[in-house]
């Protein structure tokens, strides 16, 4: 196959395949039964990630959705309320799990991506009382997926922490792509970690691991999280095979995210002249708004697919390009040319 023929998959950063080095680490991992707490590689990964975020403990989970939902169940008991963005992954793509499994009532602020106004959030918090659903937690997403990979500034997060403390509610971070924020804004992971009661972080989005996320928090919370994970069917046995991939990803694939960000910027530059860039590109997601374009999202995706470039359709006139570990400069050059040609027609 020539470079010109190669498939360029820009749908998601979850489409990556484990590298040779990662597969080697998986094949040689020391393993045990993790439901007994006896998998040394899982235990090492959990300790490593807890330390990265300055928390006491962490728990390995099979997916980002499960990690988020475990955290939400830790923070909000049934019949109580979670506040989050209307476009948040936890209320958009997790199939109603907060309500279905946690009995959690969710209320949202209008979708603003990473551009959160802490005072708006403060104004939504409802106190204890017999007349209204009491707010127990606020969740934010770093980086914001449907918000085009936007990065919530550290100053905003600090303000939200103050708001949460004043109201005595918890603060959760869906940090599926917190690594991207860390690289884009040069904020140490530990600084992010200290601002949240719980975080969920993913090893399979951009970092190249095939499976795995972690819930991060206090030792007491993570002990309870272990029970919730088991209840949800997330207890795994020789999971060290997967944890080894995660440890490899953390050691080798975090700093290189800067390359993904630069490639996303190149794609953004290629589509910007056609007025379809939905927001400035900060990380590895390039959000497209086709409201004013002749092509809608499905038509663009279908035409690009004909030329072996895959893009995500997020709505009738919303599409998304994503850069990742399995993409190189040649792929970006070809995708930029194809998309530029289709959007110009
Ligand atoms: C922001 C965000 N949170 C959570 C998840 C859930 O991860 P998973 O697909 O592993 O359940 C995703 C998945 O893309 C995501 O983008």
């Amino acid at each position: 196959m020539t470079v010109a023929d190669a498939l360029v998959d820009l749908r998601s950063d979850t489409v990556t395949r484990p590298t040779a080095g990662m597969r080697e680490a998986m094949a040689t991992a020391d393993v045990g039964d993790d439901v007994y707490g006896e998998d040394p590689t899982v235990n090492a990964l959990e300790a490593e990630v807890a330390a990265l975020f300055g928390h006491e403990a962490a728990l390995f989970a099979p997916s980002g959705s499960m990690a988020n939902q475990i955290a939400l169940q830790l923070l909000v008991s049934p019949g109580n309320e979670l506040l989050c963005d209307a476009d948040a992954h936890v209320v958009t793509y997790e199939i109603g799990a907060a309500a279905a499994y946690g009995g959690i009532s969710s209320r949202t602020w209008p979708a603003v991506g990473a551009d959160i106004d802490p005072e708006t959030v403060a104004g939504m918090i409802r106190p204890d009382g017999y007349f209204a659903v009491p707010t127990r937690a606020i969740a934010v997403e770093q980086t914001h997926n449907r918000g085009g990979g936007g990065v919530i500034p550290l100053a905003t997060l600090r303000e939200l922490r103050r708001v949460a403390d004043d109201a005595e509610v918890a603060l959760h971070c869906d940090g599926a792509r917190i690594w991207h924020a860390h690289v884009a804004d040069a904020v140490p992971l530990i600084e992010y970690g200290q601002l949240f009661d719980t975080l969920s972080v993913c090893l399979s989005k951009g970092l190249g691991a095939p499976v795995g996320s972690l819930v991060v928090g206090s030792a007491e919370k993570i002990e309870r999280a272990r029970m919730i994970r088991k209840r949800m069917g997330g207890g795994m046995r020789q999971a060290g095979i997967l944890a080894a991939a995660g440890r490899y990803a953390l050691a080798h694939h975090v700093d290189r995210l800067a390359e993904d960000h630069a490639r996303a910027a190149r794609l953004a530059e290629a589509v910007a002249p056609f007025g379809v860039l939905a927001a400035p590109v900060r990380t590895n997601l390039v959000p497209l708004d086709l409201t004013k374009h002749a092509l809608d999202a499905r038509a663009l995706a279908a035409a690009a697919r004909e030329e072996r470039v895959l893009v995500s359709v997020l709505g009738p006139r919303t599409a998304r390009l994503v850069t990742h570990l399995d993409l190189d400069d040649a792929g970006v050059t070809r995708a930029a040319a194809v998309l530029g040609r289709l959007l110009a027609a």
Side-chain angles (χ1 to χ4, degrees):
M1 186 181 280
T2 67
V3 171
D5 292 324
L7 186 69
V8 182
D9 194 343
L10 302 174
R11 289 173 303 166
S12 175
D13 48 10
T14 57
V15 300
T16 54
R17 294 177 178 87
T19 61
M22 185 178 281
R23 286 173 192 264
E24 173 69 18
M26 295 171 78
T28 56
D30 206 0
V31 298
D33 188 332
D34 182 50
V35 173
Y36 288 97
E38 290 174 2
D39 190 302
T41 310
V42 171
N43 293 341
L45 173 69
E46 291 177 343
E48 232 167 79
V49 172
L52 275 181
F53 290 94
H55 275 270
E56 287 173 340
L59 181 77
F60 192 44
S63 71
S65 300
M66 190 185 285
N68 272 332
Q69 295 301 327
I70 290 170
L72 297 183
Q73 288 182 47
L74 284 173
L75 303 178
V76 186
S77 50
N80 292 317
E81 181 178 83
L82 169 76
L83 295 181
C84 64
D85 181 275
D87 259 350
H89 196 281
V90 291
V91 291
T92 307
Y93 295 124
E94 297 182 11
I95 325 296
Y101 298 129
I104 295 169
S105 181
S106 301
R107 199 153 48 93
T108 57
W109 60 82
V112 288
D115 201 12
I116 302 169
D117 171 19
E119 287 316 311
T120 301
V121 177
M124 292 178 69
I125 295 173
R126 288 180 175 148
D128 269 328
Y130 67 90
F131 48 88
V133 183
T135 308
R136 296 288 183 230
I138 300 164
V140 298
E141 196 169 303
Q142 183 77 306
T143 63
H144 201 292
N145 182 346
R146 286 184 65 88
V151 183
I152 308 169
L154 191 57
T156 305
L157 294 175
R158 288 189 173 134
E159 268 302 287
L160 279 169
R161 181 71 260 175
R162 184 192 56 73
V163 164
D165 285 344
D166 286 352
E168 296 184 9
V169 303
L171 193 58
H172 170 68
C173 180
D174 174 352
R177 297 184 182 79
I178 200 162
W179 328 104
H180 299 75
H182 155 69
V183 167
D185 275 7
V187 172
L189 292 169
I190 203 159
E191 283 214 40
Y192 285 137
Q194 283 164 359
L195 292 169
F196 296 101
D197 297 279
T198 52
L199 302 97
S200 67
V201 299
C202 291
L203 304 166
S204 62
K205 282 144 209 99
L207 296 193
V211 174
S213 293
L214 293 102
V215 187
V216 184
S218 66
E220 180 272 330
K221 282 193 178 62
I222 297 305
E223 210 37 54
R224 284 198 289 133
R226 205 170 286 285
M227 298 297 287
I228 298 171
R229 182 186 66 178
K230 189 71 170 67
R231 184 183 297 139
M232 293 176 81
M236 297 180 284
R237 302 298 178 176
Q238 285 69 33
I241 298 265
L242 303 173
R247 294 188 74 198
Y248 185 93
L250 288 173
H252 296 93
H253 296 162
V254 175
D255 292 343
R256 67 151 303 285
L257 292 174
E259 293 172 34
D260 293 350
H261 298 176
R263 290 183 178 126
R266 282 185 57 209
L267 288 171
E269 224 170 88
V271 300
F274 308 102
V276 296
L277 199 55
V281 168
R282 292 290 328 281
T283 56
N284 68 324
L285 310 186
V286 183
L288 303 185
D289 174 0
L290 296 157
T291 315
K292 296 191 181 122
H293 200 275
L295 288 176
D296 66 15
R298 280 191 190 289
L300 176 67
R305 181 179 280 270
E306 289 289 303
E307 307 215 30
R308 298 184 59 72
V309 173
L310 305 184
V311 311
S312 255
V313 174
L314 299 189
R317 296 230 159 233
T318 314
R320 187 186 70 176
L321 317 173
V322 187
T323 58
H324 51 74
L325 184 62
D326 282 7
L327 193 66
D328 59 12
D329 284 327
V332 169
T333 301
R334 195 165 77 75
V338 165
L339 293 168
R341 187 157 22 84
L342 294 174
L343 290 167

